[in-house]
Amino acid sequence: DDNNNDDDDDDDEEHLPAGQHLLVDIKHVDATFLDDEERLAQAMVDIAKQSQLKLLSYQCHALEPLGISCAGVLLESHVSFHTWPSEGVI
């Protein structure tokens, strides 16, 4: 019975991601920019467009007392960022 042949079982193959996955910390960023939900949302749209990626949807949320978290679904993958204005970090 061919259904029991382990040689034909593709479930044991290693799955490797396609493309690049990047984790980046950017320091010394202006605190006012890092706490501006509208500007950061526009930055996500602009970055996707400049990178020739298709941004399907995105959501940004202001945090208390400071900071913004944004997440976007790309046709190709996803993108997200979180800001710490008091630290100057995104």
Side-chain angles (χ1 to χ4, degrees), residues 4-72:
N4 293 327
N5 188 343
D6 287 338
D7 293 338
D8 291 336
D9 188 6
D10 290 334
D11 292 339
D12 292 335
E13 289 185 29
E14 183 178 9
H15 173 74
L16 298 175
Q20 297 178 334
H21 295 82
L22 305 173
L23 297 175
V24 178
D25 288 333
I26 303 172
K27 299 178 180 181
H28 310 292
V29 180
D30 178 68
T32 304
F33 174 72
L34 293 178
D35 204 40
D36 189 324
E37 186 176 349
E38 186 176 316
R39 288 177 65 195
L40 288 164
Q42 187 60 53
M44 179 173 282
V45 170
D46 293 345
I47 289 168
K49 186 174 184 176
Q50 290 171 10
S51 301
Q52 298 180 342
L53 299 170
K54 174 99 172 142
L55 185 61
L56 300 174
S57 66
Y58 67 92
Q59 192 75 39
C60 294
H61 295 280
L63 307 174
E64 294 293 331
L66 295 170
I68 308 289
S69 285
C70 293

